[in-house]
Amino acid sequence: MSIPPSPRTTALELPVAGTAVRYHGSLTEHHDGSFLLFPHYTVFSAGDHDDEDLCESLGERYTLVAFGSFDLLNHVRPASFTADEGAWWPEDAVTLTHRGFAFKVSHTLPGGSPQARVVAYYAADGRVLREWWRTLSVDSDAIRTLDERGPRRADQKLYRVPDQRAS
C-alpha cells in the first residue's frame, strides 16, 4: 500500500506555468521540440473546457505550447514530459497561484475591475503571455504592485530570459 502525496500547499511546491519541458510521449514527431507547461484548463487549450468537461475522466493532464508559437499538445500525461530545472523568470516576478499552478507575473494590464484583470506573465521561451483572470483570491497588495507596473510594461511582449539559477 502506498501513501498518497501530501497536498501541495505553497507556490514553491506547485508546477510553474510557462516552464520549459521536453516531450517524450507517444507522438514521436514532437520529441525534438521544446514546449511550455500549462494547466490543462488554460486559455491555450483547444475547445471549451469547464467543470463538467469529459476530460476529467482522463485524470491529471496538461497542455503543452510549442516554444515561439501557439502549436499545442493537449491532454498530455505527466509521464510524457520532463520539466527543465531551475528558475528562468526575472527576479522581480510576482508569484501568483492560479488553477493549481504558480505563475510568474510581470504586471496587469490597465483597466479591469476589482474582481478581474488581464494578467501578463513570463514564459521560459522569452514571451510575456496574457490571460484574463478572476482575481478575487489574489492578495490586494500583489494586485496593487502589478497594477502599478501595468502602464510602464503594457506593451511588453518579450523579455530577456535570465541565466538559469537554482529555484
Side-chain angles (χ1 to χ4, degrees), residues 57-79:
S57 64
L58 297 175
E60 187 176 14
R61 300 298 170 110
Y62 298 93
T63 295
L64 303 183
V65 178
F67 259 54
S69 77
F70 290 100
D71 293 340
L72 301 174
L73 292 177
N74 276 305
H75 310 293
V76 179
R77 293 177 182 89

Side-chain angles (χ1 to χ4, degrees), residues 39-140:
H40 176 62
Y41 298 101
T42 181
V43 69
F44 304 113
S45 299
D48 292 329
H49 291 92
D50 57 35
D51 292 337
E52 311 231 351
D53 193 278
L54 297 175
C55 301
E56 297 264 331
S57 64
L58 297 175
E60 187 176 14
R61 300 298 170 110
Y62 298 93
T63 295
L64 303 183
V65 178
F67 259 54
S69 77
F70 290 100
D71 293 340
L72 301 174
L73 292 177
N74 276 305
H75 310 293
V76 179
R77 293 177 182 89
S80 297
F81 61 86
T82 304
D84 289 357
E85 298 284 325
W88 45 264
W89 50 86
E91 289 188 25
D92 73 343
V94 175
T95 302
L96 296 182
T97 303
H98 183 66
R99 295 187 183 258
F101 272 66
F103 283 76
K104 300 302 180 174
V105 179
S106 169
H107 61 280
T108 56
L109 294 181
S113 74
Q115 295 85 27
R117 298 283 193 292
V118 173
V119 176
Y121 55 90
Y122 298 107
D125 65 352
R127 288 186 283 177
V128 177
L129 301 172
R130 300 171 178 184
E131 190 170 337
W132 180 88
W133 288 5
R134 291 176 194 227
T135 55
L136 293 173
S137 62
V138 177
D139 175 67
S140 60

